Amino acid sequence: MAEIKRGQAKPAEEEEEEIITEDNVFEHYDEPQGFFPNQVMADLTVSFALLVITIILAYAVPADLVEPMDISTTDYVPRPEWFFFFLDQWLIYFPGAALVAFGDIAMPIIFAIVLFAIPWLDREPAYSPARRPYMVVLGFLVITAIVLNLFLSMVRILNFPGGSPAG
Amino acid sequence: MPEELQKDPLTRGQFLYMGAVGTMMGLALTVPPAFFIMDPALKATIFNRSDIPHVWREIGSIFEVPSGEATAFRVTFPQKQTYDSGGPNSRVGSLTETALASWHDGKIPDLVKKRSEGATFSKSEVRTLEKNINVMSNACTHMGCPVRWDSVHHQIVCPCHGGIYTINGMHVGGPPPHGLWRYVFRIREDGIIEVRHKWVQGTPWIV
Amino acid sequence: MTRIRDRMAERGRDVADWLEERTRLVSFMEKQLYEPTPRRGMWLYTLGSATLFLITIQFLTGILLLFYYVPTTKDAWNSIYYIMHHVYFGQLIRGMHFWGANLLLIVIGLHMIRTFLSGSYKPPREMNWVVGVALIILVSLLAFTGYALRWDQEGFYAWEVGMKIASYTPLIGAWAVSLLLGGDTVGPATLSRLFVFHVWLMPAILAPLIGVHLILLRLHGEFGAAFEYSERLAKLNKRKQYERMEEYFASDEEEEESSRGE
Amino acid sequence: MPIGNLHVPGIGKNTLIPMLVVPHTLIATFIIGIAMIGAVSEFAGMVTKRPNYDKFARGAAKFQLLLFATGSWLAFTFFFALITLFPTFWSYLFNIFWWVFLAEAFMFIGEVLAAYAWYYTWDKLAYRKTVHVTIGMVSALFGLAQMIFINVVASYMMSPSNGPATSVGWTFLNPTYLPLNMHRFVGNLSYAGFLIAGWAAWRYLRSTTEENREYYDWLGHWGIMWGFGFLLLQPMIGYEYMTEIRSHEVQAFRYLMMGNKAFLFNALTIELFIMSVTSALYFLHKIKFAVKPMPRLRRWAMGTTGVLAILGVLNMIPADLYIVPQIGMVFGPKDSPQDIAIDKTPPILMGAMYPWKYIGLFGLMLIGAVVLGLYLKASAGGFLWGRVNRWSQYGLILTAVTVTLTMMTMGYARETARRGGPENWLIRGCITFQQHVVSKNCPAGSRQAP
């Protein structure tokens, strides 16, 4: 069993001037840092902040519990969760039997497949966003489309008579 | 920890043996569970057996249906599903739904206007009444949200995505693919509407 | 005092050696903890571990909620009501589970956008991106089913819309819905299937996938973003420029020699 | 009522306001569009180091300043006309939108400073191009912000939100605010793009030197890229805008889509047809001059243009002859009903919205994207500028004229949406044309269920 040496680690010998070639440029970072003290510290603070937010929200805004499920209601206005608002708005663009199937199942599946295939769609060697305008612009367009749909559906829901406080 | 890998050759016999035993084990472990999970799907789609037995349930009398409006009647059906299907020490479940009833184009036929509450109708009168009344489910055909009568614009409105139907349940606007689901119903002599958990256009699922 | 401390340190070292001998745990931990990671974008890279932290909270609070939750149609709502009003810290645990899920979706979205913008899905890290996308789909399905477990109007109708969407799929529409419904109408079977999906099926798929995600990360090391390598890239470009210049001058000299040669 | 209830002789006050507003809107939309296109093309010039972009950006900045003065003059006179001719309506509107108009004023100052700074520091900041480009971007953003704030007023008048009129937040949250913003943003860019293309075509036909011909040919190409590109987004956003109107203002929807004003959307489809087909033909013609000859691509482009034309025609089929202004009088039913019966399929089957108009509109978008893609593929290899024939330039001028007409048709459609019901509204559900305030805390109080 190799004898475990204790005490001071061997000083790192002077690295001879390394020739940076095309493929080993991304081997080392410019400013590496140990994972344990530094990154873990940052992770801890972010996680702690998230924990505090959840606890505050848990007490400030208790998770709601509306009246029990009852199909035979005539005055309840069902709403999707906030993260499906954009899909709800997407539903409105595709009325009618054929279009609902297309807009509701085909499009999300295509979106998922494209999402899975991004590494094979984006073959540009450059990493920084400035060097790959197509992918970044496409990504930005998709994100704005989703966010805009989210707001559109939120405004529509807020302005439904039953939906808003003063309506 | 063995020092290096040892790759013995694989004979035909061993390969066939492993293949056969493997497939048998695979089948035994996948086919029954598949049927186990798909049981309700098989019963519902292939054998067309519904969770709700074929019973007629009263929803209300035709005199309660006003003119120019669609009113909601609650109806409760017995439901036999998993632990609610009346085993030795369990009860039969129930499913409450709403049926919207409205006269055709909102006009009460004069047959009903003349008769008072308790009067009885003849066979032919019942047939004409059945032609003139719409008994529809309140689930929107687009996404199943509960539709409601909008007295301002005299139409049936679905609050979720803005589906619009006329008083007869015909689809007018918005994303729904077709008009409201129409119950299979019959009218008794004394004017009581009875409904079965079956629809004219097929199975709407969910409702 | 120092003598006790030394003896304690001595005993600690013995335990460490004993453990190292049998499980090589200490060297494994060292390899994990002291691996070099990029410094410039440190705060960007916390998104990944924040998602991990939130998922562990979801697992923890989820299991705690299971102590009181009852998946029958008659009592699901009552059990939630009981948790919220009678159990000590019930509102906290359920609140953490609910708001944790919302925060998790936001953080996982940000994490995906960060990975997309920094281009860290480029070879050899494609598989990690694919596993990541599978994770985000699983998490949103989990959130979707969890919402309906309460069996109150809000949660139920959201789930019903989801099932109605499934019923529109061309070929297997009827099959998919009756599978999710457990029959042709909504009833106790629907809630138990919902319960199975949310409490066991999806987490059982999620947990190993997270493990795979982390292993793949460790395999190729954290890529960080392009601004981590700006100096090295600058050196590389400078060196290439010199090479091109030398080529250019070298070709001139040959011409002179060849012209002088004739 | 203040002193005298002024009467505008001759044309009357209800026509004076549009006479001032329509030119103002046309100029203002063009300014916002050209500011954005100019800023982006200056940035493109900085990145690609090609002189054309910078030359155009400079011309755009100068043109923007010239127009700016006339545009704002119209706005002020229109302001004063409203104050004097519609006192109660104006005081009511101003009370609701006090903060919005205040923000609007500051955006105006920002716009003025940035636009003038952008033009006059062109040479001084020539070596600090990034600073100069940011000034251009800032002036474009200020222009955009002006539009965003004025949209609140326009969309609120048509569809007031459910919340109390006093809370500023709710005035922004009225249902048609966001779609109006998206529709106008894309509309500005497409409108300005087509106008630039039209102006470049005019200058191309009049240019004498070879160098001028090449520059204006390139400018026509650059303008129509913006115009046609953003025109493709419009059907989707327009459809969303109309869905919002239908779900919140059923009366306005019936009046616009199925009632007396339905012809507006027939006019729109005709204009859409003209613009898309002429642009496609222009692309078809331009592909001939690509540096790398691509015969197969040109056949593909011909095919897609044909499909585009068919879809355009499909769009133009009216649902009911009654709504086509002149022809309706002759062929349509004599007792023209107030609106096409709701639950009856319209007489002309191919005119029905579902599924025909969907196929037409969204087909136009997709096939248009294909045509644009083919054209971009050809333009990637570079063009031989300056050799295009006269007809393609006439086509560009035609698109410029049609886009102005579309702007007016659509502006008119939005403003007349408030009429048509039993009551003509200035603010729907609150103030009628005769400036009679319906209920005390309107418009929130008077909103009924949809």
Side-chain angles (χ1 to χ4, degrees):
Chain A
M1 206 357 248
E3 210 270 328
I4 296 155
K5 291 195 289 301
R6 285 194 191 74
Q8 195 61 23
K10 190 149 57 51
E13 69 285 345
E14 183 44 47
E15 203 184 288
E16 84 291 345
E17 184 49 46
E18 186 206 12
I19 313 137
I20 301 169
T21 60
E22 271 299 330
D23 41 36
N24 82 350
V25 73
F26 293 116
E27 291 312 327
H28 304 285
Y29 312 115
D30 286 347
E31 289 170 40
Q33 65 172 7
F35 175 75
F36 172 66
N38 320 66
Q39 183 69 39
V40 168
M41 282 272 295
D43 294 351
L44 214 61
T45 27
V46 168
S47 307
F48 176 66
L50 286 173
L51 183 66
V52 163
I53 294 171
T54 6
I55 291 172
I56 293 169
L57 281 174
Y59 278 117
V61 181
D64 53 10
L65 189 61
V66 189
E67 72 273 10
M69 165 259 181
D70 164 21
I71 291 189
S72 62
T73 156
T74 49
D75 49 13
Y76 180 71
V77 180
R79 289 299 171 212
E81 303 100 308
W82 66 273
F83 47 84
F84 278 138
F85 271 171
F86 75 92
L87 204 59
D88 201 41
Q89 189 66 20
W90 195 244
L91 279 178
I92 293 194
Y93 298 155
F94 298 95
L99 285 178
V100 163
F102 167 70
D104 246 4
I105 296 148
M107 295 287 271
I109 288 180
I110 294 166
F111 180 69
I113 290 170
V114 164
L115 212 58
F116 272 108
I118 282 189
W120 290 275
L121 291 175
D122 172 18
R123 291 194 183 283
E124 295 188 22
Y127 283 85
S128 83
R131 293 282 177 284
R132 344 181 242 118
Y134 285 109
M135 280 319 268
V136 170
V137 164
L138 264 176
F140 176 71
L141 280 180
V142 166
I143 291 169
T144 21
I146 289 180
V147 167
L148 273 183
N149 269 332
L150 191 122
F151 287 135
L152 279 172
S153 141
M154 212 166 59
V155 165
R156 175 170 54 81
I157 286 166
L158 276 177
N159 272 300
F160 191 76
S164 69
Chain B
M1 289 286 279
E3 291 324 312
E4 70 290 329
L5 306 174
Q6 182 174 351
K7 291 191 173 136
D8 294 343
L10 178 69
T11 66
R12 263 178 63 77
Q14 284 167 334
F15 174 75
L16 287 177
Y17 174 74
M18 277 193 285
V21 167
T23 29
M24 274 189 295
M25 281 170 62
L27 284 177
L29 288 179
T30 47
V31 170
F35 278 88
F36 178 78
I37 293 177
M38 307 263 286
D39 160 82
L42 294 171
K43 284 181 185 141
T45 44
I46 295 176
F47 305 117
N48 274 326
R49 251 198 269 117
S50 159
D51 302 338
I52 304 207
H54 302 307
V55 285
W56 291 92
R57 279 292 181 272
E58 245 180 62
I59 59 171
S61 115
I62 52 172
F63 298 101
E64 290 160 13
V65 179
S67 76
E69 211 194 300
T71 50
F73 293 104
R74 271 184 211 281
V75 60
T76 315
F77 290 106
Q79 182 180 34
K80 291 175 178 265
Q81 204 178 52
T82 59
Y83 53 75
D84 266 351
S85 54
N89 64 350
S90 97
R91 60 214 175 284
V92 173
S94 80
L95 180 68
T96 332
E97 288 163 10
T98 305
L100 291 177
S102 70
W103 291 107
H104 190 62
D105 294 346
K107 288 191 293 302
I108 298 187
D110 36 30
L111 250 175
V112 175
K113 281 208 199 80
K114 284 205 288 302
R115 294 295 167 81
S116 67
E117 191 64 27
T120 61
F121 297 96
S122 72
K123 271 281 169 290
S124 65
E125 279 162 355
V126 162
R127 219 166 295 110
T128 51
L129 282 178
E130 273 169 4
K131 269 206 259 341
N132 275 320
I133 193 165
N134 317 309
V135 180
M136 308 160 281
S137 148
N138 83 325
C140 171
T141 49
H142 179 234
M143 282 300 152
C145 303
V147 297
R148 62 219 45 209
W149 172 254
D150 163 18
S151 48
V152 173
H153 299 285
H154 306 298
Q155 58 193 14
I156 299 178
V157 164
C158 163
C160 283
H161 309 104
I164 298 180
Y165 309 88
T166 61
I167 188 166
N168 306 327
M170 282 269 300
H171 166 249
V172 158
H178 49 77
L180 286 175
W181 300 94
R182 307 179 76 82
Y183 272 100
V184 167
F185 71 97
R186 67 183 184 198
I187 300 181
R188 290 209 306 252
E189 293 77 18
D190 55 5
I192 302 287
I193 306 168
E194 280 183 337
V195 162
R196 244 184 66 195
H197 192 267
K198 195 168 182 307
W199 284 271
V200 168
Q201 297 107 319
T203 50
W205 305 107
I206 314 281
V207 168
Chain C
M1 266 306 286
T2 53
R3 207 160 27 72
I4 302 165
R5 207 161 41 74
D6 292 348
R7 199 171 320 110
M8 284 297 292
E10 185 63 36
R11 187 152 303 114
R13 222 171 277 118
D14 294 349
V15 166
D17 292 349
W18 186 82
L19 259 177
E20 174 64 14
E21 185 69 33
R22 279 152 189 71
T23 60
R24 279 207 291 293
L25 179 67
V26 176
S27 61
F28 171 75
M29 286 306 288
E30 247 162 28
K31 196 173 94 45
Q32 297 303 343
L33 289 181
Y34 297 122
E35 199 206 0
T37 52
R39 169 193 298 280
R40 288 186 188 140
M42 182 166 72
W43 289 101
L44 274 176
Y45 312 138
T46 57
L47 280 173
S49 26
T51 332
L52 183 67
F53 171 72
L54 280 173
I55 288 183
T56 35
I57 286 192
Q58 292 304 80
F59 270 91
L60 175 75
T61 46
I63 292 163
L64 289 177
L65 286 176
L66 268 182
F67 276 88
Y68 293 95
Y69 179 74
V70 171
T72 61
T73 45
K74 307 274 180 304
D75 311 319
W77 195 83
N78 309 335
S79 63
I80 301 276
Y81 185 85
Y82 183 76
I83 292 174
M84 288 300 277
H85 294 282
H86 300 296
V87 179
Y88 289 143
F89 293 111
Q91 189 180 347
L92 170 69
I93 299 293
R94 182 161 176 256
M96 275 172 72
H97 199 65
F98 176 72
W99 288 109
N102 290 340
L103 280 178
L104 173 60
L105 276 165
I106 297 172
V107 170
I108 211 167
L110 293 176
H111 179 52
M112 190 159 120
I113 292 169
R114 196 278 301 175
T115 326
F116 176 76
L117 282 183
S118 68
S120 9
Y121 51 78
K122 291 259 190 303
R125 294 179 176 80
E126 291 107 328
M127 274 323 289
N128 220 355
W129 169 269
V130 167
V131 170
V133 168
L135 282 174
I136 199 167
I137 291 173
L138 270 173
V139 163
S140 49
L141 280 178
L142 262 167
F144 180 58
T145 44
Y147 208 71
L149 272 183
R150 296 178 287 186
W151 212 246
D152 65 349
Q153 286 284 40
E154 195 180 13
F156 165 73
Y157 268 113
W159 169 249
E160 189 210 351
V161 169
M163 274 203 280
K164 248 339 207 154
I165 293 180
S167 76
Y168 278 106
T169 37
L171 293 161
I172 51 161
W175 281 79
V177 170
S178 48
L179 253 177
L180 293 171
L181 269 177
D184 66 341
T185 55
V186 177
T190 325
L191 185 55
S192 18
R193 281 174 186 249
L194 210 57
F195 185 65
V196 156
F197 285 141
H198 185 74
V199 172
W200 186 251
L201 192 62
M202 304 259 186
I205 304 170
L206 195 75
L209 270 183
I210 295 176
V212 166
H213 202 56
L214 289 177
I215 292 166
L216 288 177
L217 174 72
R218 274 291 176 241
L219 196 62
H220 300 295
E222 165 86 28
F223 170 73
F227 51 77
E228 297 294 339
Y229 308 89
S230 39
E231 276 151 36
R232 292 175 65 87
L233 280 167
K235 274 192 223 143
L236 176 70
N237 295 341
K238 213 178 309 121
R239 198 170 55 73
K240 277 209 295 211
Q241 222 166 357
Y242 285 148
E243 271 164 21
R244 271 203 301 280
M245 295 246 275
E246 273 142 26
E247 248 164 59
Y248 177 72
F249 288 123
S251 61
D252 281 7
E253 275 132 26
E254 277 141 28
E255 271 147 36
E256 277 141 33
E257 274 139 24
S258 55
S259 56
R260 238 181 288 108
E262 281 127 21
Chain D
M1 283 292 273
I3 308 151
N5 191 348
L6 289 173
H7 293 290
V8 177
I11 49 171
K13 59 184 178 183
N14 280 345
T15 43
L16 174 69
I17 300 292
M19 272 172 59
L20 291 169
V21 172
V22 168
H24 166 69
T25 321
L26 290 179
I27 292 172
T29 319
F30 181 68
I31 287 174
I32 298 172
I34 202 161
M36 279 192 262
I37 298 180
V40 166
S41 78
E42 194 190 0
F43 176 72
M46 187 178 82
V47 168
T48 57
K49 307 272 186 304
R50 291 212 196 94
N52 278 350
Y53 290 110
D54 209 55
K55 188 174 172 190
F56 161 67
R58 188 160 196 156
K62 182 149 69 74
F63 202 60
Q64 182 194 359
L65 291 191
L66 293 180
L67 271 179
F68 202 83
T70 32
S72 25
W73 164 72
L74 281 165
F76 294 142
T77 29
F78 149 57
F79 233 50
F80 296 141
L82 264 180
I83 293 172
T84 44
L85 296 175
F86 292 87
T88 41
F89 164 64
W90 184 253
S91 67
Y92 207 91
L93 202 70
F94 221 79
N95 286 337
I96 299 178
F97 292 113
W98 158 249
W99 291 110
V100 171
F101 281 115
L102 202 66
E104 176 86 22
F106 282 111
M107 291 302 140
F108 181 76
I109 297 167
E111 165 86 12
V112 167
L113 291 180
Y116 283 88
W118 185 35
Y119 178 62
Y120 285 110
T121 60
W122 208 283
D123 303 327
K124 214 185 290 112
L125 292 179
Y127 293 104
R128 282 200 296 284
K129 209 52 173 167
T130 39
V131 170
H132 191 262
V133 165
T134 34
I135 298 176
M137 295 284 185
V138 161
S139 105
L141 283 179
F142 270 124
L144 199 61
Q146 266 191 325
M147 181 189 82
I148 284 175
F149 281 112
I150 205 66
N151 274 346
V152 178
V153 180
S155 62
Y156 193 84
M157 280 165 70
M158 189 167 95
S159 64
S161 65
N162 261 306
T166 48
S167 82
V168 180
W170 274 103
T171 52
F172 273 80
L173 272 180
N174 65 61
T176 53
Y177 172 60
L178 204 60
L180 178 65
N181 253 330
M182 288 159 57
H183 203 56
R184 278 190 81 170
F185 172 75
V186 174
N188 286 351
L189 287 172
S190 156
Y191 171 67
F194 275 122
L195 281 190
I196 294 169
W199 180 66
W202 164 256
R203 287 302 298 270
Y204 175 85
L205 292 172
R206 288 177 55 81
S207 62
T208 48
T209 65
E210 186 52 33
E211 183 258 349
N212 258 356
R213 282 168 68 96
E214 270 163 23
Y215 170 66
Y216 286 118
D217 184 10
W218 170 81
L219 189 56
H221 147 82
W222 176 245
I224 201 154
M225 292 271 283
W226 283 89
F228 187 70
F230 279 96
L231 184 71
L232 292 181
L233 295 174
Q234 287 288 44
M236 181 80 166
I237 301 175
Y239 173 76
E240 155 56 26
Y241 189 17
M242 192 49 88
T243 335
E244 288 298 320
I245 296 174
R246 188 177 65 71
S247 60
H248 291 278
E249 302 300 333
V250 181
Q251 182 51 39
F253 174 77
R254 279 217 189 96
Y255 184 61
L256 272 184
M257 263 310 187
M258 306 200 233
N260 300 347
K261 291 296 189 312
F263 71 88
L264 279 175
F265 288 92
N266 275 99
L268 172 70
T269 40
I270 293 167
E271 284 147 2
L272 212 59
F273 173 76
I274 295 170
M275 279 191 285
S276 48
V277 171
T278 7
S279 315
L281 290 175
Y282 175 82
F283 292 151
L284 207 57
H285 177 66
K286 280 292 280 173
I287 289 178
K288 265 203 293 226
F289 302 97
V291 172
K292 293 204 288 296
M294 306 177 183
R296 209 168 54 76
L297 185 123
R298 195 152 191 287
R299 272 198 304 284
W300 264 98
M302 266 182 234
T304 31
T305 322
V307 171
L308 208 67
I310 295 164
L311 289 174
V313 167
L314 177 64
N315 269 333
M316 283 199 288
I317 302 165
D320 186 352
L321 264 189
Y322 139 76
I323 53 174
V324 179
Q326 269 54 35
I327 308 169
M329 251 61 99
V330 174
F331 295 112
K334 288 297 164 288
D335 50 1
S336 60
Q338 173 57 11
D339 50 32
I340 306 168
I342 287 187
D343 54 359
K344 194 153 58 54
T345 49
I348 304 171
L349 197 57
M350 293 279 275
M353 182 68 183
Y354 182 83
W356 301 111
K357 288 293 191 279
Y358 287 110
I359 300 171
L361 280 176
F362 292 122
L364 199 74
M365 272 177 67
L366 297 178
I367 303 292
V370 166
V371 172
L372 196 64
L374 292 175
Y375 179 65
L376 285 174
K377 199 158 171 328
S379 73
F383 278 123
L384 303 171
W385 302 108
R387 287 194 181 71
V388 209
N389 67 13
R390 286 183 290 105
W391 291 104
S392 65
Q393 299 307 310
Y394 292 142
L396 286 187
I397 296 171
L398 176 68
T399 50
V401 168
T402 351
V403 87
T404 330
L405 288 178
T406 331
M407 211 56 167
M408 289 201 239
T409 341
M410 283 296 107
Y412 177 60
R414 191 192 69 199
E415 291 318 314
T416 104
R418 290 184 269 106
R419 300 167 62 104
E423 189 63 67
N424 298 336
W425 300 102
L426 281 176
I427 297 182
R428 175 169 290 285
C430 186
I431 302 180
T432 64
F433 255 49
Q434 291 72 26
Q435 297 182 64
H436 158 59
V437 182
V438 169
S439 69
K440 187 61 203 68
N441 57 0
C442 74
S446 63
R447 300 281 288 118
Q448 322 90 343

